[in-house]
């Protein structure tokens, strides 16, 4: 697998050290699925740890445990947001039917809370990275829908019939040259994924910037907001070295661009008042 050079930002970098990152997961409690929860929790922990090693002030928040109002409150001052993987979204949110192949538990409280966070991020132009479920959330939040089940007998997107900790499958993704993700990862990164659903009809303002070899949508970016989604798991232990770091560095760069733009706008306003 391709590895990525360590990003130039370090914990001593004052720009990154002042950035607050909200790491938003589904829940901190899955007593009905202990093995699955342990695997997901390990990946979620790696996002926070990796962000903190790069200098972010990172905090984890569980959407299903907090609910919409509280999640919006505790993430209101975040400079950037990462929404992580987990359970399938409830099909009622995108007009889908229940009873589809591979359907498991849904968490409607987490669904509504995370959708609200995505919509606010787009409205405020807050940099946001969606991973797997988070990628699909971005699409549904903006009016898109999902392919409810991939008949992936060839194992492109997951390892068929494997235990939870062995579902991840490496494959290449073609990224659109010039996209934010291609600038961070190159145009043909190898990724780790384990999903049975995918982005279908695109939400408003989104464009596809990455596809797998079978045409499945693997990455989206918003046209005007610094919001991106990836269907794969850069936080998995088997992912290429430095891939998560590169994505977090890209997120930090978006924060810095926003700060510079806000500072320039403020100076313009002050100059107008003086004139």
């Amino acid at each position: 697998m391709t590895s990525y050079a360590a990003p130039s930002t370090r914990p001593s970098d004052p720009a990154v050290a002042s950035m607050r990152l909200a790491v938003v997961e589904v829940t901190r409690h899955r007593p009905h699925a202990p093995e699955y929860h342990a695997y997901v929790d390990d990946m979620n922990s790696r996002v926070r740890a990796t962000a903190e090693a790069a200098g972010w002030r990172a905090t984890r928040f569980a959407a299903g445990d907090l609910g919409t109002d509280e999640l919006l409150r505790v993430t209101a001052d975040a400079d950037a947001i990462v929404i992580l993987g987990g359970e399938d979204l409830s099909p009622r949110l995108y007009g889908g039917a229940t009873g589809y192949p591979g359907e498991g538990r849904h968490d409607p409280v987490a669904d509504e809370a995370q959708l609200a966070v995505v919509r606010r991020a787009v409205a405020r132009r807050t940099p946001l990275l969606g991973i797997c479920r988070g990628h699909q959330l971005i699409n549904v939040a903006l009016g898109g829908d999902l392919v409810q089940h991939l008949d992936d007998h060839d194992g492109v997107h997951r390892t068929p019939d494997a235990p939870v900790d062995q579902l991840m499958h490496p494959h290449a993704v073609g990224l659109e040259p010039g996209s934010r993700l291609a600038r961070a990862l190159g145009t043909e990164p190898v990724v780790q994924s384990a999903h049975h659903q995918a982005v279908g009809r695109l939400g408003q303002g989104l464009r596809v910037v990455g596809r797998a070899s079978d045409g499945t949508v693997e990455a989206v970016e918003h046209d005007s907001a610094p919001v991106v989604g990836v269907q794969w798991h850069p936080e998995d232990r088997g992912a290429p070295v430095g891939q998560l770091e590169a994505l977090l560095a890209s997120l930090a760069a978006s924060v810095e661009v926003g700060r510079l733009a806000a500072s320039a706008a403020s100076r313009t306003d002050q100059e107008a008042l003086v004139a």
Side-chain angles (χ1 to χ4, degrees), residues 232-259:
W232 65 86
H233 287 277
E235 80 282 24
D236 180 66
R237 289 185 180 274
V241 174
Q243 190 173 88
L244 177 59
E245 288 86 346
L247 290 171
L248 290 174
S250 178
L251 204 61
S254 292
V255 173
E256 188 63 17
V257 167
R259 287 180 173 180

Side-chain angles (χ1 to χ4, degrees), residues 57-149:
R57 293 154 53 195
T59 307
R60 285 172 65 178
F61 300 105
D65 305 342
L66 296 174
T68 300
D69 291 345
E70 184 64 8
L71 184 64
L72 286 172
R73 185 188 71 80
V74 297
T75 59
D77 64 350
D79 295 298
I81 299 165
V82 178
I83 297 186
L84 300 168
E87 287 76 1
D88 291 354
L89 286 170
S90 172
R92 70 175 180 79
L93 297 169
Y94 55 88
T98 59
Y100 57 86
E103 182 177 10
R105 287 184 177 230
H106 302 291
D107 192 324
V109 175
D111 291 348
E112 295 293 349
Q114 290 180 322
L115 289 170
V117 167
V118 170
R119 289 168 182 146
R120 185 180 64 184
V122 172
R124 290 184 175 182
R125 304 297 190 264
T126 302
L128 182 146
L129 169 66
I131 294 175
C132 195
R133 168 189 164 94
H135 160 76
Q136 296 170 5
L137 265 159
I138 292 169
N139 194 54
V140 172
L142 298 177
D145 68 6
L146 302 180
V147 177
Q148 289 191 294
H149 186 69

